[in-house]
Amino acid sequence: MSSGGCTVVWFRRDLRVEDNPALAAGVRAGSVVAVFIWAPEEEGHYYPGRVSRWWLKHSLAQLDFSLRSLGTSLITKRSTDSVAALLDVVKATGATQLFFNHLYDPLSLVRDHRAKEALTAEGIAVRSFNADLLYEPWKVHDDEGRLFTTFAAFWDRCLTMPYDPESPLLPPKRITSENVGYGEVRGDVMPELEDLIFFNAAIDLDIIALVQFWCHYTVAIETSFNKENCEVFRCRPDALVLEDDSEKGSNALLARAWSPGWSNADKALTTFINGPLIEYSKNRRKADSATTSFLSPHLHFGELSVRKVYHLVRIKQVLWANEGNKAGEESVNLFLKSIGLREYSRYISFNYPHSHERPLLGHLKFFPWVVDEGYFKAWRQGRTGYPLVDAGMRELWATGWLHDRIRVVVSSFFVKVLQLPWIWGMKYFWDTLLDADLESDALGWQYISGTLPDGREFDRIDNPQFEGYKFDPIGEYVRRWLPELARLPTEWIHHPWNAPESVLEAAGIELGSNYPRPIVGIDAAKARLEEALLEMWQLEAASRAALENGTEEGLGDSESMPIAFPPDIHMDMDHEPITTNQNTVRRYEDQMVPTLTSSLLRVEEEESSLDLRNSVDSRAEVPTTINQAPTRDVFDQGAVHTVQNNANLSQNIMVGIRNAEDSTAESSSSRRERDGGVVPVWSPSTSSYSEQFGGEENGSGTSSSFLRRHPRSHELMNWTRLSQTGLLVMFPQYKDHKLRGGANAAKPDLILIGMVIYAIILRNPPFQKTNTRYLRCISTLIMYPVESYL
DNA sequence: GTGCAGTTCTT
DNA sequence: AGAACTGCA
């Protein structure tokens, strides 16, 4: 190979252009081919969950966007074997070097080693860098060169290392790209538009992102329609199928609370450092506060460099220290500690590669876990009977997010009260958390489970009732996520099982039907835990004896069986077939899932109130009345009322979208706006909408078969034939808009809007039956962000 | 300085 | 649960 060959920069969990050492080195060396390989099968049990893939998808899109503005683009490949895919890329481009940044989870360590060997054997120069940590795991050890086994000592050493973490690198000014590999992956225009639709439907918070997408797509659409062919999109990251159709509806909601991508990450960091950081230590106690950094998903995907975080935060700390601001200084220490825990999780993972599947303390492997899928399910669904735990689990399910405190509460409950194997809980976190991170979560669960040298004592049980009053003193958080308890006085909110009958009645709660009784009593749990520990020590002693007698071979820690994985969990685990049994109440409970409402969507007043008759009525058709009362009563008050009205409309739309995607879905996601602008409502999810719009009750009817019959019906439309005046007839409210100056220039914009709306209609049979007024509501929803941009 | 009660934190 | 820390007499 000639020395002038280009460099392949292999992106993984370092999806940023700033402070990316591999990219920077590649740019320095000449021209660059940026590659991302999607090979989730390599992750085995840890196939990324729905929300995690959603994040990745958008993060990749933004990385691609940035790379494009620098002169290259991101080539994405779908593969089942990353190393083979890399070899392909190298061969196709004639690259002579491969650069990438380190990862520290066991799977990546093995894979990256393999990549290094395979490519080196082909004569490729392979170099790897540290982009994920302040200090590489092999650089931190005590004075005798031994590894640390407790966090405090580890972190102390990190903070007193003789040299500072590397300073962050600036983004490259431009990237010389190698014009090979283009055209290899060809998207067509319609899948792109689908993304746009969901993007738009969910965007109204993030104008910046909209502008980016808007420019990007407008150009693309103009070109494609002038040419009458759709090959403008090449090598788009979206060509990877990171979310399937049944997931898009739920995912659309995530975009309201989160903005993936490295430049958004950067903004989030700035916002945090200039805002909540100073109060970090004061506020960290509340479960519901919006004062955490919200940076974890950004950090997981490497959109943000920890070194940059570290340096910026330290600068603030020095500043506050000089001002004598004790609280601010303390806040920074605390925040850095959580960065330190992330650091430590990599350290542990690297040095003890089995830490994600095996307790670090040997004797714990003898603990007799309770293998009870019923408990497991109750926990996942937030039906354990302990309000704080249930509220947390429902928030997790609905939003993919949990405050750290609540993570501790629910996982500690899982391990200590239910005594389910922690690996199950970890797997569920992996599947549902937006910031799912193997190393961090393994560390967290090991800590909670007491399987670390410095973890919690194993025989300690935290009482969710007391924790409840500690983290959620007035029950605000519980009421938000468990509307069925909303009318319960604060005195009883964290222990409804003690409340007098009259109080429960007044609150509309019937324990055991409306809201469950505690699944396990704390005292019973304590007794069982003691027994289990006794058994564990006996087993351990027996095993040691057996080992000493040599009657058992190879029972060393390194060879013991890891705990088995849970039976398959699906994100949509609530999708049980609707049984036709007579027990309506039970049935209703099982299907109780969150749905979204939002106050953020702007709808013209009159329109919404009219159309809401429909949706409210349809809700009344839900086959139970038990929960109707509390839900309504809570929200049918004053100002909240209008909020809910608007919210219902959006809910209707979202559910409509979802039903079209997956008509069996009884569930739709819900979310919480960080600053509380949204009222979530728990409602029975029985397919009232598909009923209303002509589906059978089990939803397997119209909508899905419509899509089956017309899988790509939206492609049949030739958009160039839509006249501008035609569009203005459809959407007269925009006739006064000066769209990008000049009538001709306006056309692509209107076409785009038209396409979006039309595609929504085509994809959603419910809307086909609605009138034009409703249509205009929808267009208003979609146009709102466009208007702000224009 | 001492003793006590209440609080806060534990990776 | 227990150590460490607070405020107060």
Side-chain angles (χ1 to χ4, degrees):
Chain A
M1 304 267 167
S2 76
S3 60
C6 63
T7 305
V8 171
V9 175
W10 181 22
F11 281 88
R12 295 100 61 83
R13 263 167 271 151
D14 51 350
L15 305 178
R16 61 176 185 264
V17 296
E18 188 183 77
D19 192 30
N20 187 323
L23 178 64
V27 170
R28 216 175 302 129
S31 62
V32 162
V33 176
V35 182
F36 180 88
I37 298 162
W38 172 242
E41 288 80 8
E42 289 180 346
E43 316 286 325
H45 285 297
Y46 297 98
Y47 190 106
R50 170 177 69 86
V51 288
S52 201
R53 277 179 282 119
W54 172 84
W55 189 286
L56 176 61
K57 174 179 168 154
H58 292 280
S59 189
L60 286 173
Q62 193 170 85
L63 178 65
D64 180 53
F65 185 84
S66 302
L67 288 172
R68 275 163 195 271
S69 70
L70 291 170
T72 183
S73 69
L74 185 65
I75 293 173
T76 55
K77 283 184 88 77
R78 177 69 174 91
S79 173
T80 49
D81 181 348
S82 301
V83 178
L86 279 174
L87 282 166
D88 287 349
V89 171
V90 163
K91 288 200 177 113
T93 56
T96 52
Q97 308 187 87
L98 170 73
F99 293 174
F100 60 89
N101 294 312
H102 290 147
L103 294 175
Y104 308 91
D105 65 285
L107 296 163
S108 298
L109 287 170
V110 172
R111 182 193 52 214
D112 295 352
H113 182 71
R114 200 159 58 87
K116 230 169 209 179
E117 285 195 326
L119 279 108
T120 308
E122 294 286 315
I124 308 296
V126 181
R127 284 175 63 196
S128 57
F129 304 82
N130 169 23
D132 196 44
L133 294 176
L134 302 176
Y135 301 101
E136 292 281 22
W138 51 87
K139 297 209 168 142
V140 186
H141 44 73
D142 67 14
D143 294 333
E144 277 84 53
R146 285 172 310 203
L147 294 174
F148 289 103
T149 52
T150 56
F151 171 71
F154 166 83
W155 187 229
D156 189 51
R157 170 53 59 109
C158 285
L159 290 174
T160 56
M161 287 287 270
Y163 53 97
D164 271 336
E166 303 276 328
S167 305
L169 305 161
L170 292 170
K173 287 196 200 76
R174 64 175 292 103
I175 300 174
T176 323
S177 103
E178 197 67 19
N179 206 12
V180 209
Y182 271 58
E184 199 184 328
V185 189
R186 243 169 226 160
D188 69 42
V189 84
M190 283 307 168
E192 301 286 322
L193 277 170
E194 284 178 21
D195 291 339
L196 182 60
I197 291 157
F198 285 98
F199 196 79
N200 249 321
I203 191 66
D204 55 355
L205 284 183
D206 194 344
I207 302 304
I208 308 278
L210 177 80
V211 171
Q212 286 181 355
F213 269 71
W214 184 257
C215 300
H216 188 70
Y217 282 100
T218 307
V219 170
I221 285 160
E222 279 173 38
T223 334
S224 70
F225 288 105
N226 290 341
K227 284 200 217 143
E228 282 273 327
N229 84 47
C230 296
E231 291 187 5
V232 278
F233 298 99
R234 292 177 182 167
C235 305
R236 296 279 304 147
D238 315 27
L240 301 181
V241 183
L242 291 173
E243 61 184 347
D244 65 45
D245 282 346
S246 66
E247 296 170 335
K248 282 190 174 170
S250 320
N251 286 346
L253 307 170
L254 290 168
R256 302 177 156 277
W258 298 95
S259 306
W262 77 273
S263 68
N264 291 323
D266 208 50
K267 274 176 248 158
L269 174 64
T270 313
T271 313
F272 174 66
I273 289 182
N274 293 325
L277 174 60
I278 197 162
E279 304 266 82
Y280 191 78
S281 90
K282 209 202 295 179
N283 282 330
R284 85 204 109 117
R285 221 163 299 121
K286 280 187 68 188
D288 212 13
S289 69
T291 52
T292 52
S293 70
F294 293 106
L295 295 178
S296 53
H298 295 296
L299 285 168
H300 170 74
F301 285 107
E303 295 173 357
L304 206 54
S305 152
V306 267
R307 292 185 298 225
K308 182 173 179 186
V309 175
Y310 178 83
H311 279 103
L312 288 180
V313 163
R314 281 301 307 273
I315 289 171
K316 273 282 178 196
Q317 188 175 36
V318 170
L319 197 82
W320 286 330
N322 287 341
E323 288 172 359
N325 185 335
K326 272 275 169 223
E329 214 188 328
E330 187 51 31
S331 286
V332 172
N333 280 337
L334 252 148
F335 175 67
L336 282 181
K337 192 169 141 191
S338 63
I339 296 289
L341 285 165
R342 179 181 175 283
E343 202 89 354
Y344 188 53
S345 74
R346 268 81 179 145
Y347 182 80
I348 292 286
S349 174
F350 178 82
N351 292 309
Y352 307 93
H354 292 294
S355 60
H356 64 296
E357 57 186 15
R358 202 177 289 167
L360 286 174
L361 293 182
H363 57 268
L364 258 303
K365 71 174 178 243
F366 296 106
F367 188 83
W369 300 103
V370 176
V371 178
D372 184 325
E373 287 183 35
Y375 281 4
F376 188 32
K377 187 175 166 191
W379 179 76
R380 288 188 324 239
Q381 296 186 332
R383 306 198 56 77
T384 66
Y386 290 91
L388 187 64
V389 175
D390 292 342
M393 292 310 292
R394 294 195 198 174
E395 181 184 17
L396 171 60
W397 196 93
T399 66
W401 179 260
L402 268 190
H403 190 291
D404 182 54
R405 292 279 152 169
I406 305 299
R407 294 184 198 206
V408 171
V409 169
V410 299
S411 51
S412 154
F413 182 85
F414 185 91
V415 173
K416 301 295 175 65
V417 178
L418 300 179
Q419 290 159 39
L420 293 165
W422 60 270
I423 209 138
W424 289 18
M426 190 179 80
K427 178 67 164 55
Y428 182 72
F429 269 23
W430 175 259
D431 288 340
T432 51
L433 275 174
L434 202 54
D435 59 357
D437 181 285
L438 192 54
E439 297 95 311
S440 293
D441 291 342
L443 183 72
W445 281 90
Q446 293 240 15
Y447 164 69
I448 294 298
S449 308
T451 62
L452 291 174
D454 52 353
R456 308 190 140 192
E457 307 82 347
F458 200 91
D459 52 357
R460 172 179 148 198
I461 291 189
D462 292 311
N463 189 327
Q465 175 185 337
F466 302 144
E467 308 246 277
Y469 285 107
K470 219 151 83 189
F471 302 137
D472 183 29
I474 57 169
E476 187 185 8
Y477 180 73
V478 165
R479 289 190 185 93
R480 182 194 292 254
W481 292 103
L482 303 176
E484 61 265 47
L485 300 185
R487 300 204 298 164
L488 198 60
T490 303
E491 190 186 354
W492 307 108
I493 191 83
H494 290 297
H495 53 132
W497 58 89
N498 289 336
E501 203 46 54
S502 58
V503 171
L504 289 174
E505 208 173 299
I509 297 164
E510 194 185 324
L511 284 185
S513 68
N514 207 348
Y515 183 76
R517 293 175 204 286
I519 185 171
V520 179
I522 294 294
D523 291 339
K526 270 187 185 143
R528 194 172 67 183
L529 188 59
E530 265 163 39
E531 260 171 54
L533 284 172
L534 207 67
E535 195 181 331
M536 177 184 85
W537 289 118
Q538 282 166 357
L539 284 171
E540 198 258 1
S543 150
R544 210 176 25 219
L547 205 63
E548 276 159 15
N549 296 338
T551 48
E552 252 173 273
E553 80 297 325
L555 201 75
D557 276 12
S558 57
E559 287 307 318
S560 67
M561 275 296 288
I563 310 164
F565 270 90
D568 255 358
I569 317 166
H570 305 287
M571 246 321 258
D572 297 336
M573 82 290 292
D574 285 321
H575 291 190
E576 283 165 26
I578 296 172
T579 48
T580 38
N581 74 31
Q582 308 82 341
N583 191 345
T584 337
V585 174
R586 268 280 143 236
R587 179 183 126 187
Y588 159 67
E589 277 177 8
D590 285 348
Q591 290 156 11
M592 177 116 157
V593 291
T595 51
L596 165 112
T597 64
S598 154
S599 63
L600 292 168
L601 298 170
R602 276 69 171 181
V603 185
E604 290 162 40
E605 284 286 1
E606 38 136 10
E607 315 269 23
S608 64
S609 53
L610 256 168
D611 284 309
L612 277 172
R613 295 283 164 265
N614 285 342
S615 60
V616 169
D617 284 350
S618 78
R619 300 187 61 173
E621 289 168 25
V622 165
T624 173
T625 51
I626 294 180
N627 200 43
Q628 210 64 24
T631 310
R632 290 257 186 114
D633 283 0
V634 176
F635 294 107
D636 275 4
Q637 290 165 1
V640 191
H641 189 72
T642 37
V643 168
Q644 167 129 37
N645 274 355
N646 287 352
N648 258 327
L649 178 61
S650 76
Q651 177 182 16
N652 212 356
I653 289 167
M654 289 312 178
V655 173
I657 288 171
R658 221 189 129 88
N659 280 348
E661 305 282 16
D662 174 10
S663 57
T664 59
E666 281 118 53
S667 52
S668 61
S669 285
S670 156
R671 51 168 284 284
R672 172 172 64 96
E673 184 45 42
R674 283 174 221 161
D675 46 25
V678 168
V679 184
V681 169
W682 283 81
S683 64
S685 57
T686 331
S687 42
S688 48
Y689 297 105
S690 55
E691 264 168 49
Q692 183 193 357
F693 296 114
E696 292 90 346
E697 203 211 344
N698 64 13
S700 69
T702 339
S703 52
S704 68
S705 62
F706 174 88
L707 282 182
R708 233 173 279 129
R709 269 182 284 119
H710 309 280
R712 309 200 70 86
S713 53
H714 48 302
E715 284 178 351
L716 300 177
M717 186 63 150
N718 183 346
W719 295 98
T720 46
R721 285 201 211 119
L722 265 181
S723 70
Q724 187 175 338
T725 41
L727 282 159
L728 284 172
V729 169
M730 261 173 95
F731 309 110
Q733 68 267 45
Y734 300 120
K735 69 172 182 295
D736 294 325
H737 269 283
K738 292 265 185 299
L739 293 165
R740 314 184 127 220
N744 283 335
K747 198 175 165 187
D749 294 312
L750 285 170
I751 288 178
L752 180 59
I753 295 156
M755 289 166 93
V756 169
I757 293 170
Y758 199 79
I760 285 190
I761 296 161
L762 280 177
R763 293 176 58 85
N764 294 280
F767 296 145
Q768 292 177 324
K769 299 196 174 182
T770 58
N771 55 23
T772 44
R773 173 180 295 152
Y774 200 11
L775 246 173
R776 243 181 286 144
C777 280
I778 299 167
S779 73
T780 312
L781 288 174
I782 292 163
M783 272 306 284
Y784 169 71
V786 178
E787 277 174 334
S788 346
Y789 160 58
L790 294 170

